[in-house]
Amino acid sequence: MADGGAVRAVEAGTSAHFWEPGSQILWRYRENAGAHVHIARPVTVVRDDEDLLAVWLAPGTECVKPVLADGTSVHAEPLESRYTKPRSVQRDRWFGTGVLKLARPGLPWSVWLFWEPGWRFKNWYVNLEEPLARWAGGVDSEDHFLDITVDPDRSWQWRDEDEFAQAQQDGLMGPDLAERVREAGRSAVEVIRAWGPPFSDGWPDWRPDPSWTVPLLPEDWDRMPAHLSS
């Protein structure tokens, strides 16, 4: 996915590399308590530097998502058995409007922006997760179930606390990790209350470059990064 010519060094002599705007990469999540990728979303890089990775998930993008082994939607399954039934993955299209995803290096969350049709800003969504791990083709993480939504009036609320509790009960998350996730959430709330970056940076007014094409989902979307394949 990532074009080697579209990658630049931060500064000469360092190993850190950033993607140029317009580069197409994968934003992926591993399954919880497992090693396999179960979410893969081709995205276009908006900005990438030492402070922020911003990417655009365009409407209609072909993605990979988890489903139950019989093809049933995960969220159609009752919560009590949602995480214990056998699963598979399937290709699907990103439904609805696009999503702008923002991630600061090393932080255990990313911030997503959603719009209604016609570019009416809907809300920010703080996705608690492992800090993104970069590789040649994109970034990988693991979702931590608990989330926060932030409305345009700056009010906020926790989301998916029931899933967070169920994941712990089903052994997908131990008590130490659960407490780290809660602490990450509290840290994110401090940023929200202070209206720090990225909330204060004017991103609701951002629009994608009309010349960008919708990235394609590669056949090897589940390939393992080289640094983990040995």
Side-chain angles (χ1 to χ4, degrees), residues 20-102:
E20 292 283 1
S23 302
Q24 296 179 349
I25 64 172
L26 285 173
W27 184 295
R28 310 191 303 183
Y29 290 96
R30 296 182 304 278
E31 60 188 352
N32 299 94
H36 297 289
V37 172
H38 71 160
I39 294 174
R41 297 167 180 165
V43 294
T44 301
V45 173
V46 174
R47 169 184 161 186
D48 188 29
D49 54 40
E50 60 272 11
D51 296 321
L52 185 75
L53 170 64
V55 304
W56 171 240
L57 174 58
T61 300
E62 186 178 22
C63 301
V64 171
K65 69 177 185 179
V67 293
L68 299 185
D70 63 1
T72 301
S73 168
V74 169
H75 288 93
E77 181 68 20
L79 184 61
E80 293 73 18
S81 52
R82 185 174 300 170
Y83 301 126
T84 55
K85 281 199 170 181
R87 291 192 177 193
S88 184
V89 296
Q90 72 177 27
R91 291 172 176 248
D92 201 356
R93 298 281 174 181
W94 183 261
F95 177 77
T97 58
V99 182
L100 179 66
K101 299 187 177 190
L102 311 173

Side-chain angles (χ1 to χ4, degrees), residues 4-217:
V7 179
R8 56 186 166 84
V10 182
E11 54 187 56
T14 70
S15 59
H17 289 77
F18 296 135
W19 291 290
E20 292 283 1
S23 302
Q24 296 179 349
I25 64 172
L26 285 173
W27 184 295
R28 310 191 303 183
Y29 290 96
R30 296 182 304 278
E31 60 188 352
N32 299 94
H36 297 289
V37 172
H38 71 160
I39 294 174
R41 297 167 180 165
V43 294
T44 301
V45 173
V46 174
R47 169 184 161 186
D48 188 29
D49 54 40
E50 60 272 11
D51 296 321
L52 185 75
L53 170 64
V55 304
W56 171 240
L57 174 58
T61 300
E62 186 178 22
C63 301
V64 171
K65 69 177 185 179
V67 293
L68 299 185
D70 63 1
T72 301
S73 168
V74 169
H75 288 93
E77 181 68 20
L79 184 61
E80 293 73 18
S81 52
R82 185 174 300 170
Y83 301 126
T84 55
K85 281 199 170 181
R87 291 192 177 193
S88 184
V89 296
Q90 72 177 27
R91 291 172 176 248
D92 201 356
R93 298 281 174 181
W94 183 261
F95 177 77
T97 58
V99 182
L100 179 66
K101 299 187 177 190
L102 311 173
R104 301 189 71 181
L107 285 187
W109 69 78
S110 56
V111 179
W112 305 358
L113 284 79
F114 290 86
W115 287 267
E116 301 284 5
W119 287 104
R120 184 170 67 85
F121 182 61
K122 181 180 179 182
N123 64 271
W124 289 269
Y125 184 93
V126 180
N127 197 72
L128 298 173
E129 59 192 27
E130 282 189 5
L132 296 180
R134 301 169 69 98
W135 56 287
V139 291
D140 288 355
S141 182
E142 182 177 304
D143 184 75
H144 285 159
F145 300 97
L146 189 62
D147 305 297
I148 304 167
T149 55
V150 186
D151 291 329
D153 65 2
R154 304 190 185 185
S155 61
W156 62 273
Q157 56 186 315
W158 296 105
R159 293 289 187 183
D160 303 325
E161 291 188 274
D162 55 345
E163 295 187 357
F164 183 60
Q166 189 68 45
Q168 294 172 66
Q169 183 175 321
D170 292 338
L172 297 181
M173 179 179 292
D176 290 344
L177 176 55
E179 179 51 37
R180 291 200 300 275
V181 173
R182 274 291 185 190
E183 179 57 34
R186 289 190 287 267
S187 297
V189 167
E190 289 180 6
V191 176
I192 295 166
R193 285 175 170 160
W195 211 244
F199 304 101
S200 58
D201 291 341
W203 285 106
D205 296 326
W206 173 87
R207 300 292 183 266
D209 187 327
S211 70
W212 287 345
T213 58
V214 176
L216 300 177
L217 180 70

